[in-house]
Amino acid sequence: MSESSAQAKSEAVISIRKLSKTFSLGFRRKRVEAVSDCSFDVYRGEIFGLVGPNGAGKTTTIKCLMGLIAPTAGEIKVFGQPVPSRESRRRIGYLPEISYYYDYLKPEEILDFYGRLYGLGSAERKRQVDWLLERVGLADARAKPLRKFSKGMLQRIGLAQALIANPDIVILDEPQSGLDPLGRKEVADIIHELKQQGKTIFFSSHILPDVERVCDRVAVMINGALVDIGPLASLLNPRTLVNEIATSHVDVELVEQWQLRFSGLKVLKHSEGNTFLLPGECSLQSFLVTLVEAKVSIDSVSPRRESLEDVFVRQALAGQEAKQRDSKANAVPL
């Protein structure tokens, strides 16, 4: 089944149409368009990632989605209900990019507080608090005031509060910020568990390998506009960018000859031998034959294809170039 036909049978739990948000900044009230004509859907049960450089409009989009700020134009619906509305918020758990908590409270107290805001009963709150503290690795710190927490520990309590009401949609703004590699893996595991439970997860992140690891679909936002969206398989270039060939030591004279023959060939020297970086457009078979004929020992051959980080950089550079062209075109001659 194709992606389009599969999505046609899925429910769009978040629907954003022609979203734009303009701010007026400074004494002169300079107008800055943070988000421009942005449209996309997020489907039930998927993990959807929103990536982009600082200032791309990711957090503004999420704040509009949460009803925290009003869009300048466009429409947002959650489960068919317009945003903002009580019905649209009831089924959402939200972790903001920067969380603020009463620092004299303890983890179990802050989670109980959020549970009360959601209207959970006493027994359900206690059950959820105990389970979430265990799940995010804070069970041993449940009696410790938040002012003594590290940034990573505060991020964990923020994730727990986003899940306290067992929401159908979980919106996370930079959920892995401040976490060490083990903490990031634990967050990724929780995200996968939520997907298995039928939840929908929508999050933004700068940690692109983590996005690539967990997301079903990704949207790339540059200068307030969506420049690409789709499954990772469709966003990434399937062709090999570079072949990495690890070998034994090779004489400098031979390397120089090969660099003349294979355009763009680079070599890295290390204690065990050499690593050749052969551009994808060069013939890997011909280069391997050349190594064998020179009696060079080949340890490994590793093709490197485009990653999400490569897509991000490519789109970001294209966005910068477009912005510079627009600035020059709109410049007023002196």
Side-chain angles (χ1 to χ4, degrees):
M1 181 183 296
S2 68
E3 180 206 353
S4 58
S5 60
Q7 289 176 353
K9 295 186 177 181
S10 301
E11 178 187 357
V13 295
I14 297 174
S15 181
I16 296 178
R17 292 291 176 271
K18 296 187 176 299
L19 175 67
S20 295
K21 179 60 182 178
T22 302
F23 295 98
S24 297
L25 304 177
F27 178 75
R28 296 181 179 275
R29 310 302 292 167
K30 179 182 178 181
R31 293 173 62 83
V32 176
E33 193 170 34
V35 179
S36 174
D37 198 27
C38 180
S39 297
F40 63 89
D41 292 322
V42 178
Y43 298 96
R44 181 187 292 274
E46 77 170 342
I47 304 173
F48 185 91
L50 183 63
V51 302
N54 290 330
K58 304 186 303 299
T59 295
T60 299
T61 300
I62 289 177
K63 286 183 176 180
C64 288
L65 172 58
M66 289 301 302
L68 299 176
I69 59 176
T72 305
E75 180 184 58
I76 304 175
K77 289 185 177 181
V78 174
F79 287 110
Q81 299 294 327
V83 174
S85 68
R86 179 177 297 181
E87 291 77 13
S88 69
R89 290 175 176 170
R90 190 180 299 275
R91 300 168 70 179
I92 296 177
Y94 173 51
L95 172 64
E97 181 180 13
I98 301 176
S99 304
Y100 296 97
Y101 304 110
Y102 298 115
D103 63 1
Y104 57 86
L105 292 179
K106 301 167 185 175
E108 54 188 359
E109 293 173 333
I110 197 71
L111 293 181
D112 183 78
F113 170 75
Y114 278 100
R116 288 173 183 269
L117 291 179
Y118 272 101
L120 303 184
S122 176
E124 187 177 5
R125 287 200 311 273
K126 185 178 187 310
R127 183 170 60 252
Q128 279 291 91
V129 169
D130 290 343
W131 180 80
L132 284 170
L133 288 177
E134 185 70 36
R135 188 63 192 88
V136 300
L138 292 177
D140 294 338
R142 62 185 305 146
K144 187 177 181 180
L146 297 186
R147 64 173 171 269
K148 295 184 179 180
F149 275 28
S150 66
K151 183 179 179 182
M153 293 173 72
L154 288 173
Q155 195 73 349
R156 290 168 187 263
I157 199 67
L159 180 60
Q161 68 82 19
L163 303 177
I164 189 66
N166 192 25
D168 294 312
I169 299 177
V170 183
I171 298 176
L172 309 172
D173 196 354
E174 298 288 349
Q176 289 133 325
S177 175
L179 298 178
D180 57 23
L182 179 60
R184 298 207 310 272
K185 180 184 181 303
E186 290 173 350
V187 170
D189 290 343
I190 291 173
I191 289 175
H192 278 299
E193 288 177 14
L194 292 170
K195 175 182 169 66
Q196 292 170 0
Q197 296 167 15
K199 312 292 186 185
T200 303
I201 302 93
F202 174 28
F203 76 101
S204 71
S205 179
H206 285 96
I207 306 174
L208 299 181
D210 291 338
V211 175
E212 193 169 0
R213 189 177 302 121
V214 303
C215 283
D216 299 311
R217 286 195 304 141
V218 174
V220 182
M221 179 172 271
I222 305 291
N223 297 331
L226 284 186
V227 297
D228 219 340
I229 183 170
L232 283 171
S234 68
L235 294 184
L236 304 183
N237 191 332
R239 71 180 180 85
T240 299
L241 300 179
V242 174
N243 286 295
E244 297 183 5
I245 304 100
T247 72
S248 57
H249 289 287
V250 180
D251 291 339
V252 175
E253 292 80 7
L254 279 177
V255 172
E256 292 175 349
Q257 293 176 21
W258 296 344
Q259 286 177 325
L260 292 174
R261 180 179 171 189
F262 298 94
S263 178
L265 177 67
K266 296 181 181 179
V267 60
L268 305 175
K269 298 179 181 180
H270 44 82
S271 58
E272 292 81 14
N274 295 337
T275 297
F276 290 94
L277 305 179
L278 182 71
E281 57 269 19
C282 293
S283 171
L284 175 62
Q285 182 177 356
S286 296
F287 185 68
L288 294 178
V289 169
T290 300
L291 292 175
V292 172
E293 290 176 347
K295 299 186 177 355
V296 174
S297 174
I298 302 172
D299 298 327
S300 65
V301 179
S302 305
R304 187 173 76 81
R305 295 178 173 86
E306 189 173 51
S307 67
L308 181 57
E309 185 172 357
D310 295 323
V311 174
F312 178 88
V313 171
R314 169 162 52 82
Q315 297 284 11
L317 291 175
Q320 289 177 1
E321 291 175 358
K323 194 172 183 179
Q324 290 173 358
R325 287 196 302 268
D326 291 343
S327 297
K328 291 179 180 178
N330 297 326
V332 178
L334 297 177

